[in-house]
Amino acid sequence: MALKIGIVGLPNVGKSTLFNALTKQKTAQAANYPFCTIDPNVGVIEVPDERLKSLSDMAKPEKIIPAVVEFVDIAGLVKGASKGEGLGNKFLANIRECDAIAQVVRYFKDEDIIHVHGNIDPRRDVEIVESELILADLQTIENRLAKLGKQAKSGDKELKRQVDALEGLNTHLGSANLARTFERDDEVFQFVKNLQLLTDKPLLYIVNIHENDLSDFDLSKVVSTLNLPEGSNVVPICARLEEELINFGDDESVQYLKELGLTDTGLNTLINNAYDILGLHTYFTVGKQEVRAWTVKKGALAPQAAGVIHTDFEKGFIKAEVVHYLDLLDHGGENEARKKGLVRLEGKEYEVKDGDVMHFKFNT
């Protein structure tokens, strides 16, 4: 399933540097002036997963295929983007195509790298980006209200419910709140989702800091400084360091991170968090030809998981053979796991668990 996360933020906060690090190549131009990025850069990034390696070491397949997430480096936003300032409309259209938003916030100080507003103020920067997204959403709601408001006068109860939802959203957003914090019942959930509001998308904050601040990063302090809601997804990263690591070998990277007091790259944390905020997890297929990680929504049932491989698998689904990857590894493969009764047959109502290894039976 195609999953797309837009990297957004003000100009010169480190978006393109971060994108280069993610893709392990310098495809995105990173320079010391606003609007260095105009057309979005797109990169398909592997989701790091040690389980895939362990299963591959056991099965020794011809191919190993990881799960992936698509990151999009979007042009820097400026105040007034919702009214067309800078690359406004183009910027907003690019975000609308994404499943989630990763907002890069500049937290480091460097006099050699100019800031579009002349000084470093992370809270202000977050408020500018989110205000522009809210203003764009308010315009979307205004347009829908203008259309549905007239139709609802016919007395249609469903249209009246939709108008009430739009008016509630209008008030909520008008108070500088994001759409994703708007309470909604099951009856209006899909309607609101179909509006594709920018601030209704899952949001991840990437705090771009100096490498010396990584080991003692104070999450609660940063959440307070940025005035973020409790439970916000925040990932500290030094984009410049991550870009430098492109040129390091694996052993060199591990040693350098160890010297900084770190156990993993910020990119791995970012990719896993991005995967998580989209409400996704992984099941595996294991065979001699390939070991592969498949992406499904949390709560997906077995036929839906089969449909990720091929729509015919979902249509003709009969049963799924399921074993947890740890049971497979502990017993050295499917044959021994089967002897121990650890391979189960599951039907259409089975909810796929993260780490399941599955084999589907279906009619063509």
Side-chain angles (χ1 to χ4, degrees), residues 38-106:
I38 297 178
D39 294 320
N41 300 293
V42 180
V44 178
I45 316 301
E46 295 181 3
V47 177
D49 196 328
E50 286 298 320
R51 300 172 299 180
L52 190 64
K53 182 181 184 303
S54 297
L55 288 168
S56 300
D57 289 343
M58 178 197 72
K60 296 180 172 47
E62 296 174 14
K63 292 189 295 184
I64 304 169
I65 305 177
V68 296
V69 174
E70 195 171 283
F71 280 89
V72 184
D73 175 30
I74 297 172
L77 174 148
V78 295
K79 193 170 184 178
S82 59
K83 297 179 180 178
E85 292 294 328
L87 300 172
N89 293 331
K90 184 178 181 64
F91 170 93
L92 297 170
N94 290 332
I95 298 176
R96 207 174 296 281
E97 295 172 357
C98 295
D99 300 295
I101 298 172
Q103 183 182 165
V104 180
V105 183
R106 179 173 170 179

Side-chain angles (χ1 to χ4, degrees), residues 58 288 323 327-328 331-343:
M58 178 197 72
K288 288 299 180 184
V323 58
D327 290 331
L328 205 60
H331 293 84
E334 184 181 329
N335 289 338
E336 288 303 313
R338 194 181 294 278
K339 289 177 184 177
K340 297 291 184 180
L342 297 171
V343 179

Side-chain angles (χ1 to χ4, degrees), residues 180-252:
R180 62 193 178 90
T181 63
F182 177 68
E183 292 187 12
R184 65 201 78 171
D185 58 30
D186 292 340
E187 290 184 342
V188 299
F189 178 84
Q190 193 59 46
F191 170 70
V192 174
K193 184 178 179 181
N194 290 342
L195 292 172
Q196 293 186 305
L197 298 175
L198 301 177
T199 64
D200 200 34
K201 296 179 182 293
L203 179 60
L204 181 69
Y205 298 92
I206 303 172
V207 181
N208 192 6
I209 61 179
H210 192 278
E211 64 184 66
N212 294 336
D213 298 324
L214 284 168
S215 59
D216 58 356
F217 180 76
D218 188 335
L219 176 61
S220 60
K221 181 180 178 181
V222 170
V223 168
S224 176
T225 298
L226 299 181
N227 195 31
L228 302 180
E230 287 295 323
S232 295
N233 293 286
V234 178
V235 179
I237 272 188
C238 174
R240 185 169 60 182
L241 167 65
E242 299 290 342
E243 188 179 40
E244 289 174 356
L245 289 174
I246 296 173
N247 302 315
F248 286 31
D250 291 341
D251 292 340
E252 288 178 299

